């Protein structure tokens, strides 16, 4: 019995198909779910935006008062400093397009309860309580639509400022929802009313819930929320922070060394160490670090949601502009290896990330660092037509060693990197195959 596998375009490779996480609702129809998730699976790169009154003082979003680093009253005084005076949503959308991102997720309301749009459910909003004096969400959604960038809206289930929300400061709640169901129902009516505004006014492609950890699916009415979203837009997708009623996993900040449970997943990541604008946080990741993390994510079949934190006047910090423009230069040059691909080789075949074309006839090898010598491909059981450098088309020479003439076990492919082919960040090779990829997964020897 020869140990071989083929990687079929529509199914993720055998080593990644895992059952849905415990508690996740069974997909109503896996074909419909696959169709609904397809744009997300192909998108690969999104830009996360944390923009709120916390940018005024440059302190942590919501958590600064929740963790008692600043009083809630003093935190809310930031309302008076949120001007959006230099806010240009079209330039934001242009920068996002320039990064190569296919979707965006912006905080419509964080845990502090301050809405970016003119909600009718209360007056805690940018339009009503800040010098900006206007809805800053709608013009950005419009700008994204003009650029054909998918719209994701982050919505915090937690609302630590709402008088009828149980939670408030760390270790100090207003009340117990179970002990005062009428008060909890008043909050539910409020939060569902705001969510209805989000659903009907913005019709986002992606609902990015956050803060589900403070209450159960039943308390959040999660099943009903999912039903309401899909009833309004059957193509909408929901992130995995609705207490088990989402569509994909959302690992945060730390790269998953083993694949997340769900078939689709997205790593959300800051460019420095803060989600919102924090003047003292200058620990920005380099473009190479971001690109190498991005390559790892897509090699595992995920998306990267890379965060920026605009200032209170609406300008984007220069280091984040630099990261997004450098990332864009790389993503546009290597687009065929990124967008619309599927997860690449399982560990053991190549020392680095890889992706595959959906028909599995093109294998993309992402070269970590700047390899000086040849790189090795193991267990490739499909003939190679040619190997080229993505972005330049320059041919790369290769040789196969260790192939025993009468044994079916493939040899090792040693690939020379053209000396002038090195990308400033990460070089990608395209291995064009004569047929869909087959891999030898045996334990060596002559079988
Ligand atoms: O508490 C939030 C946090 O402020 C930030 O918005 C992140 C972004 O994914 N989500 C929560 C922490 O997981």
């Amino acid at each position: 019995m020869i140990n071989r596998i083929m990687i079929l375009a529509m199914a993720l490779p055998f080593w990644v198909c895992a059952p849905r996480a415990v508690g996740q609702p069974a997909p109503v129809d896996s074909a419909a779910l696959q169709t609904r998730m397809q744009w997300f699976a192909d998108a690969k790169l999104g830009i996360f935006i944390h923009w709120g009154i916390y940018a005024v003082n440059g302190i942590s979003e919501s958590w600064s008062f929740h963790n008692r680093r600043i009083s809630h009253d003093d935190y809310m005084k930031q309302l008076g400093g949120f001007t959006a005076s230099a806010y240009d949503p079209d330039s934001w959308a242009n920068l996002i397009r320039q990064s190569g991102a296919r979707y965006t997720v912006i905080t419509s309301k964080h845990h502090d309860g301050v809405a970016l749009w003119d909600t009718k459910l209360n007056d805690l909003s940018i339009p009503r309580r800040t010098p900006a004096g206007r809805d800053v969400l709608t013009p950005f959604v419009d700008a994204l639509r003009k650029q054909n960038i998918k719209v994701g809206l982050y919505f915090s289930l937690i609302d630590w400022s709402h008088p009828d929300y149980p939670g408030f400061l760390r270790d100090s709640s207003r009340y117990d929802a179970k002990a005062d169901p009428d008060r909890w129902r008043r909050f539910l009516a409020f939060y569902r009313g705001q969510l209805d505004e989000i659903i009907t006014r913005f019709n986002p492609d992606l609902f990015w819930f956050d803060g589900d950890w403070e209450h159960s699916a039943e308390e959040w009415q999660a099943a009903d929320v999912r039903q309401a979203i899909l009833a309004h837009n059957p193509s909408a997708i929901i992130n995995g922070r609705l207490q088990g009623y989402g569509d994909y996993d959302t690992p945060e900040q730390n790269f998953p060394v083993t694949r997340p449970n769900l078939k689709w997943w997205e790593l959300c990541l800051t460019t420095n160490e803060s989600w919102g604008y924090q003047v003292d946080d200058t620990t920005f990741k380099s473009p190479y670090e971001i690109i190498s993390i991005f390559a790892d994510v897509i090699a595992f079949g995920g998306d990267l949601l890379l965060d920026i934190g605009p200032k209170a006047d609406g300008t984007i910090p220069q280091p984040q502009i630099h990261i997004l423009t450098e990332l864009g230069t790389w993503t546009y040059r290597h687009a065929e290896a990124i967008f619309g691909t599927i997860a690449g080789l399982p560990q053991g075949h190549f020392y680095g990330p890889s992706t595959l074309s959906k028909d599995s006839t093109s294998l993309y090898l992402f070269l970590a660092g700047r390899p000086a010598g040849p790189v090795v491909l193991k267990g490739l059981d499909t003939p190679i037509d040619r190997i080229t450098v993505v972005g330049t088309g320059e041919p790369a020479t290769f040789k196969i060693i260790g192939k025993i003439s009468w044994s079916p076990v493939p040899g090792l492919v040693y690939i020379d990197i053209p000396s002038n082919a090195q990308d400033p960040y990460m070089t990608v090779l395209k291995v064009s195959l004569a047929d869909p990829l087959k891999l030898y997964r045996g334990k060596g020897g002559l079988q």
Side-chain angles (χ1 to χ4, degrees):
M1 159 63 175
I2 299 296
N3 298 283
R4 277 170 178 59
I5 59 151
M6 286 188 70
I7 293 180
L8 304 175
M10 291 315 289
L12 281 175
F14 77 97
W15 63 90
V16 297
C17 285
R20 292 179 74 84
V22 172
Q24 289 282 356
V28 172
D29 172 337
S30 58
L33 182 61
Q34 177 78 40
T35 301
R36 193 155 54 83
M37 294 301 295
Q38 195 56 56
W39 76 259
F40 181 79
D42 291 341
K44 307 301 180 187
L45 178 63
I47 301 298
F48 209 174
I49 302 176
H50 278 68
W51 195 33
I53 62 170
Y54 39 85
V56 174
N57 294 358
I59 57 177
S60 75
E61 69 287 352
S62 309
W63 291 96
S64 42
F65 76 79
H66 180 76
N67 289 335
R68 303 172 193 269
R69 293 203 186 96
I70 182 175
S71 72
H72 184 253
D73 287 348
D74 286 344
Y75 180 94
M76 284 300 165
K77 285 176 183 161
Q78 296 180 101
L79 287 162
F82 192 91
T83 66
S85 56
Y87 177 44
D88 178 353
D90 284 311
S91 73
W92 283 21
N94 291 337
L95 177 62
I96 290 163
R97 166 62 63 204
Q98 193 178 350
S99 75
R102 295 309 199 256
Y103 69 105
T104 289
V105 176
I106 185 169
T107 50
S108 69
K109 185 183 89 167
H110 204 266
H111 315 330
D112 58 16
V114 181
L116 264 59
W117 79 99
D118 184 17
T119 178
K120 304 302 183 224
L121 276 293
N122 70 3
D123 74 342
L124 189 53
S125 67
I126 298 296
R128 297 196 189 185
R129 297 276 300 277
T130 74
R134 65 188 191 282
D135 164 8
V136 292
L137 186 57
T138 301
F140 181 54
V141 169
D142 293 344
L144 292 174
R145 298 278 190 223
K146 277 189 288 189
Q147 293 268 10
N148 197 26
I149 296 169
K150 292 284 190 183
V151 172
L153 292 185
Y154 169 113
F155 181 83
S156 173
L157 297 167
I158 286 173
D159 188 328
W160 285 325
S161 294
H162 194 282
D164 288 329
Y165 185 73
F168 179 36
L169 303 180
R170 181 178 294 282
D171 305 327
S172 165
S173 297
R174 293 188 180 87
Y175 70 99
D176 175 357
K178 292 181 174 58
D180 190 344
D182 289 343
R183 194 168 177 188
W184 174 245
R185 271 192 288 274
R186 285 201 300 275
F187 177 73
L188 281 180
F190 163 76
Y191 124 68
R192 291 296 303 273
Q194 284 198 321
L195 195 51
D196 284 346
E197 290 181 327
I198 295 283
I199 291 169
T200 54
R201 196 182 299 190
F202 302 104
N203 190 29
D205 303 292
L206 165 59
F207 288 78
W208 214 96
F209 289 106
D210 207 4
D212 65 340
W213 62 80
E214 287 202 346
H215 292 279
S216 67
E218 184 186 10
E219 287 173 324
W220 289 125
Q221 301 178 337
D224 192 36
V225 164
R226 180 182 176 88
Q227 193 279 329
I229 288 170
L230 296 180
H232 182 80
N233 179 1
S235 301
I237 64 176
I238 301 167
N239 78 329
R241 298 193 184 185
L242 187 57
Q243 277 294 352
Y245 284 83
D247 297 312
Y248 69 87
D249 262 340
T250 58
E252 179 170 317
Q253 293 289 40
N254 306 306
F255 183 78
V257 176
T258 55
R259 264 195 63 93
N261 286 330
L262 293 184
K263 183 174 179 180
W264 298 280
W265 63 278
E266 165 200 82
L267 172 69
C268 55
L269 182 77
T270 52
T271 48
N272 47 12
E273 292 173 0
S274 309
W275 294 105
Y277 172 67
Q278 295 201 27
V279 62
D280 297 330
D281 184 352
T282 56
T283 59
F284 291 100
K285 300 171 182 73
S286 69
Y288 173 73
E289 289 158 353
I290 297 283
I291 287 167
S292 57
I293 291 167
F294 180 36
D296 271 341
V297 167
I298 61 177
F300 248 6
D303 285 9
L304 175 66
L305 185 61
L306 184 63
D307 178 75
I308 59 173
K311 300 178 184 177
D313 67 357
T315 54
I316 296 171
Q318 192 52 45
Q320 291 176 331
I321 293 175
H322 175 66
I323 286 170
L324 265 54
T325 50
E326 290 298 291
L327 175 60
T329 301
W330 185 82
T331 56
Y332 278 97
R333 177 177 297 140
H334 300 93
E336 72 168 282
I338 300 167
F339 304 109
T341 61
I342 59 174
L345 300 171
Q347 288 165 341
H349 290 275
F350 172 67
Y351 291 125
S354 62
T355 59
L356 267 173
S357 60
K358 283 179 181 165
D359 65 3
S360 294
T361 62
S362 298
L363 171 63
Y364 298 98
L365 305 176
F366 294 71
L367 308 186
R370 301 176 67 85
V375 294
V376 187
L377 196 48
K378 304 174 199 169
L380 181 64
D381 200 20
T382 310
I384 296 172
D385 270 351
R386 64 191 175 285
I387 299 176
T388 52
V389 177
V390 175
T392 66
E394 186 163 2
T397 57
F398 63 94
K399 65 178 180 177
I400 295 174
I401 66 166
K403 175 71 178 72
I404 307 301
S405 58
W406 47 267
S407 161
V409 177
L412 301 177
V413 184
Y414 277 70
I415 309 168
D416 293 314
I417 316 302
S419 55
N420 61 347
Q422 298 282 14
D423 182 90
Y425 293 120
M426 188 176 244
T427 300
V428 182
L429 296 180
K430 177 178 183 178
V431 181
S432 299
L433 302 168
D435 300 306
L437 178 73
K438 276 198 304 178
L439 293 175
Y440 167 73
R441 296 285 291 168
K443 299 186 187 314
L446 300 176
Q447 293 299 324

